Amino acid sequence: MGGEPESGSRTRVELPRMPAAGALHRRALLGALPGLGGGRRGSDLPAVELTVGGVTVDRTQLADYDRVCGFRLSDRLPATFPHVMGFPLGLRLMTAPDFPLPLVGLVHVGNRITTRRPITADETLDFTTYAEDLRPHDRGRQVDVVLVGSVDGEEVWRGVSTYLGREGKPDGREPGERPAAPTATAHWRVEPRVGTEYARVSGDHNPIHTSRLGARLFGFRRPIAHGMWSKARCLAALEARLPDAYTVEAAFKLPVPLPSTVSFARLPDGGFALHDSRGRPHLAGSVR
């Protein structure tokens, strides 16, 4: 599809500070309204990478994040926390007028994080983000948004979020037979406050997670949990077993409605899963 420039062909744009996520969300929502839309979008990915240097850890935010996601309070960053720190940078990239997929309606379908060593709260990070691999999907197009965290020029963390832009109608094919849900290790009650509390600590204020009306506008009967909260909550359940360096991958399946009860399963091969009370999958993940 011609949407994946080589790293050497991307123009590097240095921003003076991390963008404000709230303003970017409001811009995207306004742009989706009839008559206020952003107009014609590009057919390829923008050949640009955005970077912000000298990003420090907000210890209050880190402690709040640990509580909301179930991690132990610690100066060591959970592997999912740099995603929160750099999220506004990726949001700036995806709300640019030439980004080929509109932010409103994008579905976060997968996330892969590689942490190369422990990162502590007293370290300062530099973040870089870019998009790659725009590709067709049977329900539209997918794209990977890459976020890289470095300390003193050394890459210490990398996250790849895969988003689906739904275009046209489904092809009508029936899904294959669903495998049986694994035996649950734990059951968690996910209350509505998870949506608003995670939005507060992450800066991701998408209304499908925080507002019944906002959720209904996008086809959900009630708000749904952030996919990255679900991943972080699973990782918190595995925290004592995690090595210093690893890759954790998650595919987001069915949304987690708020409120609901979910079943967490830790698998012997390093995998983990989240299912609803009927055995339908919310998330499938692995640590390696």
Side-chain angles (χ1 to χ4, degrees):
M1 191 170 285
E4 185 179 355
E6 297 295 327
S7 60
S9 67
R10 285 190 290 262
T11 300
R12 188 177 181 88
V13 178
E14 296 187 13
L15 303 182
R17 65 188 65 85
M18 193 62 73
L24 293 170
H25 267 301
R26 288 191 292 273
R27 179 196 302 173
L29 290 170
L30 286 173
L33 295 175
L36 296 176
R40 186 180 182 88
R41 291 185 170 270
S43 58
D44 294 332
L45 292 174
V48 65
E49 60 182 38
L50 306 180
T51 183
V52 173
V55 181
T56 58
V57 176
D58 181 327
R59 290 176 180 269
T60 299
Q61 181 191 21
L62 173 61
D64 288 346
Y65 179 88
D66 286 343
R67 293 188 186 97
V68 170
C69 298
F71 292 102
R72 295 172 300 195
L73 297 182
S74 170
D75 277 349
R76 180 183 289 197
L77 308 189
T80 46
F81 190 71
H83 172 88
V84 167
M85 294 177 66
F87 174 73
L89 194 60
L91 200 59
R92 170 71 176 268
L93 180 74
M94 292 188 288
T95 53
D98 57 346
F99 196 79
L101 303 175
L103 181 69
V104 175
L106 274 187
V107 181
H108 194 184
V109 296
N111 175 266
R112 181 177 71 255
I113 288 172
T114 298
T115 180
R116 305 192 185 282
R117 64 162 176 81
I119 306 169
T120 59
D122 59 354
E123 295 188 272
T124 299
L125 287 90
D126 303 325
F127 284 103
T128 299
T129 192
Y130 56 89
E132 65 180 8
D133 198 12
L134 181 65
R135 57 199 183 272
H137 185 275
D138 59 10
R139 289 183 290 165
R141 288 183 291 173
Q142 283 187 337
V143 65
D144 293 336
V145 176
V146 180
L147 179 67
V148 178
S150 301
V151 175
D152 296 329
E154 172 199 6
E155 180 179 320
V156 295
W157 184 95
R158 176 178 291 256
V160 181
S161 289
T162 300
Y163 295 94
L164 169 66
R166 290 177 289 194
E167 300 167 343
K169 297 180 179 179
D171 59 12
R173 288 182 293 182
E174 292 295 325
E177 184 177 350
R178 183 186 303 130
T183 302
T185 306
H187 301 281
W188 301 327
R189 181 65 178 171
V190 188
E191 300 292 352
R193 66 175 181 273
V194 164
T196 53
E197 288 181 353
Y198 187 82
R200 177 176 56 82
V201 299
S202 70
D204 184 354
H205 292 278
N206 189 323
I208 65 172
H209 305 299
T210 59
S211 161
R212 184 174 291 269
L213 175 60
R216 286 180 173 174
L217 288 174
F218 292 96
F220 300 102
R221 294 177 61 187
R222 55 185 190 267
I224 61 174
H226 295 73
M228 288 303 294
W229 175 85
S230 297
K231 180 176 182 177
R233 183 65 186 88
C234 291
L235 207 59
L238 302 170
E239 190 172 15
R241 301 172 178 268
L242 297 172
D244 285 343
Y246 60 93
T247 293
V248 55
E249 192 159 4
F252 304 124
K253 307 291 187 179
L254 297 175
V256 176
L258 300 174
S260 63
T261 299
V262 297
S263 299
F264 169 75
R266 178 171 54 83
L267 308 178
D269 61 356
F272 57 92
L274 207 60
H275 289 78
D276 69 8
S277 58
R278 296 166 57 185
R280 297 179 300 179
H282 291 305
L283 177 152
S286 65
V287 176
R288 62 183 189 276

